[in-house]
């Protein structure tokens, strides 16, 4: 296949906001007296805010109304956004600046395909606004990963046919979302967890456009 665009996940690929999501959810769960730990937190990767809340509430003995749930999600988000205050260039994961430059040198279009409604704010804090040709708007997406919607929206925004797009993800729900969109998937992380990805790099520092290009040249 010919590569014309690379679509990036945010949390776990461009930066690590995972710990901040965890802290904000943990403080909400503690306030509600609901058990929450790092293992449950792993299930929230790439999952939308409301779907994440539903996972946390699985451990609760009582039912909550839609209004209560909306209030909880908003409390969590306010705490999360406060934790993002100090975010800056040094929070960009290793090798990402170089990889984005490599994409530009090779005339590859770049877009962000994050489930986070805070993605534009985070990209601004990281000073990466000029490095992306398009930021897919998570507020327009109803079905979160593993549904293909956000990757389809990213390709649409770039005006590039999905068959020329590669997605990069650190979560299995994201790899499934890329495949459901009819694109090829590059995984960042553990080979055992991301075994459905077409190509896997251990860390973001290992990302290399030439290697990706050579690998997918053999694919249809
Ligand atoms: P927000 P990604 C995802 O980002 C996070 O991995 C996930 O934990 C979070 O719940 C989701 O964004 C929504 O974030 O509450 O900021 O809208 O990995 O898709 O970049
Ligand atoms: Mg992610």
């Amino acid at each position: 296949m010919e590569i014309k665009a690379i679509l990036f996940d945010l949390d776990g690929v461009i930066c690590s906001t995972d710990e901040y999501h965890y802290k904000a959810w943990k403080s909400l769960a503690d306030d509600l007296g609901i058990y929450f730990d790092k293992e449950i937190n792993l299930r929230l990767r790439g999952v939308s805010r409301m779907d994440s809340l539903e996972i946390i509430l699985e451990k609760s003995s009582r039912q909550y109304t839609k209004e209560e749930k909306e209030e909880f999600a908003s409390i969590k988000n306010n705490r999360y956004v406060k934790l993002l205050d100090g975010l800056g260039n040094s929070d960009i994961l290793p090798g990402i600046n170089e990889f984005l430059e490599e994409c530009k040198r090779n005339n590859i279009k770049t877009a962000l395909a994050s489930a986070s409604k805070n993605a534009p704010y985070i990209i601004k804090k990281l000073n990466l606004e000029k490095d992306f040709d398009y930021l897919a708007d998570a507020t327009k997406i109803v079905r979160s990963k593993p549904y293909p919607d956000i990757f389809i929206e990213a390709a649409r925004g770039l005006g590039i046919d999905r068959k020329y797009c590669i997605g990069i993800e650190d979560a299995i729900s994201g790899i499934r979302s890329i495949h459901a969109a009819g694109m090829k998937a590059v995984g960042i992380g553990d080979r055992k967890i991301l075994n459905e990805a077409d190509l896997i790099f251990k860390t973001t520092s290992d990302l290399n456009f030439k290697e990706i290009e050579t690998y997918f040249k053999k694919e249809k």
Side-chain angles (χ1 to χ4, degrees):
M1 76 171 276
E2 184 193 349
I3 303 173
K4 292 190 182 172
I6 299 195
L7 316 179
F8 295 76
D9 173 45
L10 177 64
D11 183 22
V13 174
I14 302 291
C15 63
S16 278
T17 39
D18 189 58
E19 187 60 26
Y20 300 143
H21 277 295
Y22 173 72
K23 280 191 181 144
W25 282 127
K26 176 74 181 146
S27 79
L28 175 80
D30 286 349
D31 287 353
L32 297 173
I34 297 172
Y35 180 78
F36 181 61
D37 63 14
K38 293 234 164 174
E39 206 172 317
I40 303 172
N41 190 56
L42 285 180
R43 289 175 58 204
L44 312 186
R45 288 199 144 197
V47 175
S48 73
R49 198 178 306 164
M50 289 315 278
D51 290 347
S52 297
L53 178 64
E54 291 296 344
I55 292 173
I56 288 164
L57 295 182
E58 282 172 12
K59 287 265 182 261
S60 169
S61 48
R62 60 161 285 203
Q63 298 290 314
Y64 293 96
T65 62
K66 192 169 170 277
E67 290 69 33
E68 283 173 315
K69 287 179 189 174
E70 268 157 18
E71 197 196 328
F72 296 159
S74 143
I75 292 172
K76 181 267 172 179
N77 192 53
N78 290 338
R79 291 178 188 174
Y80 173 64
V81 171
K82 207 161 266 168
L83 290 169
L84 295 178
D85 250 1
L87 210 67
N89 293 35
S90 60
D91 294 289
I92 300 170
L93 284 169
I96 288 297
N97 280 318
E98 295 76 2
F99 184 67
L100 285 166
E101 275 166 30
E102 215 187 342
C103 289
K104 202 160 274 171
R105 277 202 306 276
N106 286 279
N107 291 319
I108 300 297
K109 293 274 178 216
T110 53
L112 195 74
S114 167
S116 175
K117 294 182 173 152
N118 295 299
Y121 175 67
I122 295 172
I123 289 297
K124 194 166 183 234
K125 293 281 266 180
L126 299 175
N127 291 308
L128 286 177
E129 277 170 310
K130 288 192 202 76
D131 296 272
F132 288 97
D133 297 300
Y134 185 67
L135 304 181
D137 184 354
T139 61
K140 283 192 194 152
I141 304 300
V142 182
R143 301 182 307 171
S144 64
K145 299 168 188 175
Y147 285 99
D149 307 27
I150 193 80
F151 282 94
I152 290 174
E153 164 56 14
R156 190 207 58 77
L158 288 177
I160 295 197
D161 194 291
R162 296 182 228 169
K163 67 177 183 229
Y164 300 118
C165 296
I166 298 276
I168 307 186
E169 263 287 350
D170 69 312
I172 190 68
S173 60
I175 299 290
R176 289 179 180 151
S177 169
I178 297 169
H179 281 155
M183 302 170 187
K184 296 287 179 194
V186 171
I188 302 290
D190 191 327
R191 197 162 285 280
K192 278 184 222 126
I193 299 171
L194 301 175
N195 59 352
E196 291 172 29
D198 299 287
L199 177 65
I200 300 173
F201 293 99
K202 207 165 178 201
T203 70
T204 49
S205 339
D206 304 316
L207 275 169
N208 175 314
F209 179 71
K210 285 293 156 208
E211 201 176 325
I212 295 176
E213 192 181 42
T214 309
Y215 182 85
F216 287 105
K217 228 173 217 164
K218 299 177 295 191
E219 308 261 325
K220 272 197 190 153

